[in-house]
Amino acid sequence: MWKEELRRLLLKPLPPFDFHLMARQAELSPWKFDGRGIIRVERIRSGRVITIFIESDGTVISVGFSDLKISRRDIEDIREKLEWCLAVSEDLQPFYDLAKNDKFLRKAVSDVRGYRILCDPTVFEGAVKAICNQNTSFKMTKIMVRNLVEKYGGGAFPCPRTLTEASVAGLKECKVGYRAEYIRAISRLDLETLKSTSTEEARRALLKVKGIGPHTAALILQRGLRRYDSFFIDLWVRRLMRRLYFNNEAVSDSDITKYAEQNWGRYRGLALQYLLMDMKNLM
DNA sequence: ACCCAGGCGGTTT
DNA sequence: AAACCGCATGGG
């Protein structure tokens, strides 16, 4: 599968770039991590489904395709998607400068230097996955997403139209439970336009959608829209933040949010991701 | 059997 | 606005 002659596309990320750390996050279908690199299944213009193999030596990202009969146009589509998902042209220097003033961030940046969030290609995909993440274990989330991808996408992530036409009963066969109605509802919206709005505007729009609350909105902003100023609090974040920045005192969530806003500003979401990635070294 | 899992919407205080 | 409850589903 990972054959030299299938290699078709090279991407040159702005350094520093840690591909392996990002690859570890390729857990939800149709992303996959096989120990060597990232695999993703995509549907191309002809309707055919192809597998994309992505690996990196740390300097260059090389992309191979399972099918050699793929048009120039399809390759350009995929290049564009991957450049977005992998944040190929992201300059993290402003964040690293900010991190120098923070004892724990400094350590995290040194430990997981070059890490960027692996984003989903579409806001829609990010939103469906975020909804599948609600009130369940990550293991269950993986099953739900995999079922949706198999049943409605033939291995690729289903397009919104397909889910719009799906029945609630059909969706429930994917074990998404009460989330079926939410998923169907968001498949009718055009979420992609949010990419060109401000984070606050996008957040307000997302919160108006039935089934999307503060936590889900924050996840969508992070993984579907790559907004580094999207901060959220859950059990792990609460524990981490209290331990590192509040001397383990039982401070409120709003205190934590305020701290992040004041100290990390527009990078508070990314700062959080760095801390979470390096949690084992920090706690 | 019971409770919980990286929420959310709706209803009741 | 804060506290409570039901929700689908599978795992411990």
Side-chain angles (χ1 to χ4, degrees):
Chain A
M1 277 306 185
W2 294 84
K3 280 194 179 146
E4 192 71 24
E5 60 266 28
L6 293 183
R7 197 162 293 171
R8 282 299 181 79
L9 185 59
L10 288 182
L11 304 175
K12 294 191 184 68
L14 213 63
F17 178 77
D18 192 321
F19 177 78
H20 208 77
L21 282 168
M22 293 181 73
R24 270 172 37 197
Q25 303 224 315
E27 294 180 276
L28 290 180
S29 180
W31 294 110
K32 203 162 73 183
F33 174 52
D34 77 343
R36 171 163 176 188
I38 299 172
I39 300 172
R40 185 172 169 95
V41 177
E42 277 284 330
R43 188 173 299 278
I44 57 178
R45 284 168 190 274
S46 66
R48 239 166 49 239
V49 165
I50 63 162
T51 304
I52 305 168
F53 304 94
I54 309 155
E55 58 184 326
S56 174
D57 59 4
T59 319
V60 174
I61 304 168
S62 45
V63 183
F65 305 106
S66 62
D67 193 329
L68 287 170
K69 282 189 298 187
I70 176 168
S71 72
R72 192 160 205 85
R73 186 117 184 248
D74 285 323
I75 291 183
E76 276 316 302
D77 286 349
I78 289 166
R79 174 205 291 279
E80 222 172 279
K81 273 186 188 168
L82 292 182
E83 280 178 346
W84 158 260
C85 296
L86 297 162
V88 167
S89 56
E90 200 91 66
D91 177 15
L92 294 177
Q93 197 52 49
F95 169 64
Y96 290 154
D97 288 341
L98 173 84
K100 285 176 191 158
N101 307 316
D102 183 305
K103 183 180 157 194
F104 301 108
L105 271 186
R106 196 162 57 228
K107 165 100 174 114
V109 162
S110 128
D111 288 341
V112 298
R113 191 173 175 76
Y115 165 72
R116 296 132 196 234
I117 296 169
L118 178 68
C119 281
D120 291 319
T122 63
V123 184
F124 174 67
E125 180 173 331
V128 171
K129 288 176 177 178
I131 285 174
C132 291
N133 203 25
Q134 289 172 190
N135 192 32
T136 192
S137 63
F138 190 57
K139 184 177 179 177
M140 225 11 238
T141 302
K142 284 200 258 191
I143 293 171
M144 293 181 213
V145 174
R146 197 195 29 176
N147 290 344
L148 290 170
V149 165
E150 289 311 312
K151 177 166 181 186
Y152 292 106
F157 199 84
C159 61
R161 182 61 184 273
T162 311
L163 295 191
T164 300
E165 289 165 357
S167 68
V168 171
L171 288 167
K172 282 189 176 174
E173 285 173 18
C174 298
K175 303 300 174 191
V176 297
Y178 64 93
R179 300 167 192 81
E181 316 227 10
Y182 299 158
I183 291 169
R184 213 165 79 97
I186 65 160
S187 70
R188 296 169 187 279
L189 308 174
D190 179 14
L191 298 174
E192 308 314 312
T193 56
L194 295 179
K195 277 185 175 170
S196 57
T197 69
S198 72
T199 300
E200 200 34 50
E201 205 176 323
R203 183 171 172 276
R204 272 200 299 269
L206 287 169
L207 287 175
K208 281 185 192 153
V209 179
K210 192 172 165 180
I212 298 179
H215 185 262
T216 305
L219 282 187
I220 297 170
L221 289 168
Q222 275 201 356
R223 305 201 296 228
L225 286 147
R226 192 177 292 290
R227 298 306 167 93
Y228 291 158
D229 52 346
S230 172
F231 189 86
F232 65 90
I233 295 184
D234 60 30
L235 204 69
W236 285 103
V237 174
R238 202 172 290 127
R239 249 174 57 187
L240 178 92
M241 292 295 292
R242 282 178 180 175
R243 174 88 70 91
L244 299 186
Y245 296 100
F246 295 93
N247 197 25
N248 235 349
E249 290 163 34
V251 293
S252 70
D253 288 357
S254 72
D255 286 340
I256 295 174
T257 304
K258 206 174 298 171
Y259 183 92
E261 267 173 31
Q262 285 173 356
N263 290 279
W264 303 329
R266 67 192 179 98
Y267 284 111
R268 57 192 185 275
L270 188 62
L272 179 60
Q273 283 305 314
Y274 265 74
L275 294 175
L276 288 171
M277 284 298 287
D278 200 35
M279 195 156 58
K280 63 178 192 308
N281 293 323
L282 296 171
M283 293 183 65

